């Protein structure tokens, strides 16, 4: 299992090289990998009926993070879809992007995405699930922005990234809280803790955070806008990520967590409501669009809304409907997107209005498109019909009235959209296209044909699909054993009547589509004020605030940096000290201080004052030196020879450095006003007082025994050294020292760069 | 590096030539005895840097660079590498990163000598400290000359 997942990243890394090796046929060659995975996952199918299979590998054992995988009906259904559709997408991309110079890079990202997606659906550990979740966002970003010379593609890529990663941040918080409540990071353990989690006071916040993650990823209203924009990606990407796989990650998460979080009134209201609204808005916008990929993208939004709503309803039949709908949608939407690519590839048209009569030039594509569109419309005997029947039955039995109405209206419009894709480009009079239409090569046709045919076969043999594939998936979502009872023919009932009604309504809508568009123009103005506007506004505010805070904090003046650091430090220290004020005490004991120690302190204070008041630079340097050497003397007197030696050496080197730069500085001028000097003096003394108080409080408050006893006791037997300071530095706390020398090296490199840059500026 | 309007000092030059090897030896002495007496990589590194800074005062940057025959930037890299390597050694024996390992060698005339990875780590610290100080010092001096 580990090899099946991580091997994907390996193949991705090798992909550019393999592409050069296989040249024109690299698509087919690379498709061997997902095909292998598909066979591997298919071989596990019979095993999951007896319950989930768990596989564990330690990753970060000290934090309880494991690479653990859970294979059950749900994850296997997703894994099969990802690898199965992946085969055709890779082969398709090889031909579709044949002329593209960066095809090697494309394969690499696509295969990396596939591996991340598989990791996401197979992870048992919440942390690794989250890591894979974010990896899919990042690879999706790279794929949307694949044509990075196009500004619109870059913008869409960033938009998708910001929306999904922003949701990912919420998701991470939600998952961690979920693990704290449920007492485990393993999904397999959490799913049986449903009662504990639902009763917990954190249930609502956990749900809100996780839903935010799932809704952004799966393009639910009001985050649906990024998905149609993501169509800037090359078509294979749209077909794969933005219809069949990645956008379903949110749905996967909802389905996966249904046994742990689902079944409450809150769950029902939020998922049911948001899902129904997304469904309706999605299909409405699809019907109003004319770009082929836009239509398909919005109808994907509709499908995602339907799935969310069904999971929200949560009854056995709704969950069966969700899984059936998921499977049906992946099959026909993958096929339709690839056909959109074929139309673009074969005719140069991207818009429905520029197409027509293509049946004569590309008959195979046309038939495939019609079969896939029939499944989208939910016409007998396609698998889409089975799913739609279940959808109606579950909505009629358990959903609120307004949701039922939205679903019926949405389904009717879906039929019209299916007709737009399945009829409009192929029949009627020939439209003038940029290229002479020609039939697509086998690599492009293989995917649509296989997927569309599967949509038909699954419909004809629905009970078999039920038994072999969906039964285990639905049981995993429900958390108990459920038999979906898929069948093509449910008898004459209300659902069948609704099916016929929506079919008729949809066809009417299709024939009067121009009138519909004309009368619904007003929604365009509404859409302009929609969520995307909010996204743009928040991005521009983010930029403004960042610019402001950068100007404020990074003023470029050392004095302001110091001022901000010191004031922040004081504010933080005093906040904590004031909170614990009653418990603090200062044990000041002036007895036993020798006269020469008083004298040293007097010298120290006098030197510091002299440094602050000095009228010349050399005087200030000398006074500071006096401060340093006095401190060194104090160290020696209180038996810390190592500190004393270090202090003396550092003072010496500081003087040498200052001598080097002294000649480069302009003359010593008093530029600051008295008021500013007063302010600086106040800040400086406040910091001094803060430090003094902090140390005095700290010295008096001892919560635990001092660790120095342990160090003293362990130094010789444990560290083989009598110099405790050194033993601590190089043995007991060696990792700290390692960090410090890294900081030292970085600082030196920084100084070097600054001096070099200045020197180069000068010489120019 | 010759300061502006500064005559070449004979006394500084002569004493400097004598002090340089002594200081370097003293810095090595501090480094090696650090585990048992005051000293160690940090202090040793500072002494060595001071010695080379002294050399810088009576000769010039080129001569100081020749003296350390490695670019101070490389010293940073080698120091960090040695320090990390000292930690990795323990991992080969299945111990956590940076665990101390000791062994005793018998050296003729000296007797038993204990060496271990902490000493190697300290040598890394020593090199990083010298590298840091000299990086700053030499580039400042060079900018002065330019």
């Amino acid at each position: 299992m580990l090899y099946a997942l991580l091997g994907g990243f390996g193949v991705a890394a090798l992909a550019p090289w393999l592409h050069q090796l296989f040249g024109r046929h690299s698509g087919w060659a690379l498709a061997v990998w997902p095909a292998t995975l598909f066979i591997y996952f298919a071989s596990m199918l019979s095993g999951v009926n007896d319950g989930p299979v768990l596989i564990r590998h330690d990753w970060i054992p000290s934090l309880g993070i494991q690479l653990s995988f859970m294979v059950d009906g749900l994850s296997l259904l997703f894994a099969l879809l990802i690898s199965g559709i992946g085969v055709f997408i890779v082969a398709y991309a090889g031909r579709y992007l044949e002329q593209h110079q960066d095809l090697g890079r494309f394969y690499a990202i696509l295969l990396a995405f596939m591996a991340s997606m598989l990791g996401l659906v197979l992870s048992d550990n919440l942390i690794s699930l989250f890591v894979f979740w974010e990896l899919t966002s990042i690879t999706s970003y790279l794929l949307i922005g694949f044509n990075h010379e196009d500004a619109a593609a870059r913008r869409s890529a960033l938009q998708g990234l910001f929306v999904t990663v922003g949701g990912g941040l919420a998701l991470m918080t939600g998952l961690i809280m979920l693990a704290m409540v449920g007492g485990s990071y393993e999904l397999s353990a959490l799913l049986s803790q449903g009662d504990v989690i639902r009763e917990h006071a954190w249930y609502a916040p956990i749900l809100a955070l996780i839903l935010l993650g799932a809704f952004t990823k799966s393009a639910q209203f009001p985050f649906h806008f990024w998905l149609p924009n993501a169509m800037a990606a090359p078509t294979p990407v749209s077909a794969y990520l933005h219809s069949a796989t990645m956008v379903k990650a949110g749905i996967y998460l909802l389905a996966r967590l249904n046994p742990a979080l689902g079944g409450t009134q809150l769950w029902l209201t939020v998922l049911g409501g948001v899902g129904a609204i997304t469904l309706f808005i999605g299909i409405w916008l699809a019907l109003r669009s004319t770009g082929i990929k836009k239509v398909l993208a919005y109808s994907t939004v509709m499908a995602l809304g339907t799935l969310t709503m069904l999971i929200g309803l949560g009854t056995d039949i709704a969950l069966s409907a969700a899984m059936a709908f998921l499977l049906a949608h992946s099959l026909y939407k993958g096929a339709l997107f690839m056909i959109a690519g074929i139309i673009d590839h074969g005719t140069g048209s991207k818009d429905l209005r520029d197409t027509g009569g293509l049946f004569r030039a590309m008959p195979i594509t046309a038939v495939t498109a019609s079969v896939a569109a029939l499944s989208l419309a939910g016409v007998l005997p396609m698998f889409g019909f089975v799913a739609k029947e279940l959808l109606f039955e579950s909505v009629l039995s358990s959903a609120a009235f307004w949701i039922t109405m939205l679903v019926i209206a949405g389904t009717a419009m879906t039929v019209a959209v299916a007709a737009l894709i399945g009829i409009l480009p192929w029949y009627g009079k020939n439209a003038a296209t940029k290229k002479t239409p020609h039939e697509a090569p086998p690599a492009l046709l293989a995917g649509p044909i296989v997927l569309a045919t599967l949509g038909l076969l699954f419909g004809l043999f629905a009970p078999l699909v039920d038994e072999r594939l969906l039964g285990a998936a639905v049981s995993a979502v429900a958390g108990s054993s459920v038999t979906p009872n898929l069948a093509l023919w449910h008898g004459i009932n209300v659902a069948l009547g609704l099916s016929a009604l929506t079919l008729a309504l949809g066809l009417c809508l299709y024939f009067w589509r121009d009138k519909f568009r004309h009368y619904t123009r007003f929604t365009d103005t509404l859409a302009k004020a929609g969520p995307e506007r909010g996204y743009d506004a928040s991005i521009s505010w983010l930029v403004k605030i960042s610019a402001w805070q950068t100007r404020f904090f990074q003023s470029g003046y050392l004095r302001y940096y110091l001022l901000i650091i010191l004031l922040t430090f004081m504010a933080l220290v005093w906040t904590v000290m004031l909170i614990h004020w009653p418990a603090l005490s200062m044990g000041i004991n002036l007895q036993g201080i020798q006269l020469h120690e008083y004298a040293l302190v007097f010298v120290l204070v006098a030197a510091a004052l002299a440094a602050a008041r000095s009228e010349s630079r050399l005087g200030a340097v000398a006074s500071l030196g006096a401060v340093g050497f006095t401190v060194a003397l104090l160290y020696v007197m209180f038996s810390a020879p190592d500190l004393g030696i270090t202090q003396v050496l550092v003072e010496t080197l500081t003087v040498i450095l200052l001598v080097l730069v002294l000649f480069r500085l302009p003359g010593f001028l008093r530029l600051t006003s008295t008021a500013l000097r007063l302010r600086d003096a106040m800040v400086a003394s406040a910091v001094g007082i803060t430090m003094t108080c902090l140390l005095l409080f700290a010295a008096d408050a001892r919560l635990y025994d001092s660790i120095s006893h342990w160090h003293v006791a362990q130094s010789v037997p444990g560290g083989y050294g009598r110099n405790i300071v050194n033993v601590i530095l190089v043995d007991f706390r060696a990792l700290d020292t390692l960090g410090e020398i890294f900081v030292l090296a970085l600082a030196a490199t920084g100084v070097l760069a600054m001096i070099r840059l200045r020197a180069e500026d000068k010489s120019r | 590096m010759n300061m502006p309007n500064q005559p070449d000092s004979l006394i500084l030059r002569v004493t400097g030539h004598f002090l340089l090897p002594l200081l370097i030896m003293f810095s090595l002495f501090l480094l090696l005895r650090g585990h048992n007496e005051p000293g160690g990589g940090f202090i040793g590194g500072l002494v060595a840097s001071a010695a080379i800074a002294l050399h810088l005062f009576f000769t010039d940057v080129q001569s100081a660079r020749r003296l350390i025959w490695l670019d101070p930037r490389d010293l940073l890299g080698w120091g960090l590498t040695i320090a990390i390597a000292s930690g990795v050694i323990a991992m080969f024996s299945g111990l956590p990163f940076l665990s101390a390992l000791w062994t005793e060698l018998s050296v003729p005339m000296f007797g038993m000598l204990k060496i271990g990875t902490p000493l190697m780590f300290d040598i890394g610290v020593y090199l990083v400290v010298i590298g840091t100080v000299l990086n700053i010092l030499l580039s400042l001096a060079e900018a002065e000359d330019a």
Side-chain angles (χ1 to χ4, degrees), chain A residues 270-285:
Chain A
V270 177
L271 264 69
V274 170
I277 295 171
T278 309
L279 177 170
F280 188 76
I281 290 184
I283 201 66
W284 180 275
L285 291 170

Side-chain angles (χ1 to χ4, degrees), chain A residues 377 406 437 470 487 541 685 693:
Chain A
L406 281 182
L470 288 184
W541 271 106
S685 5
C693 290

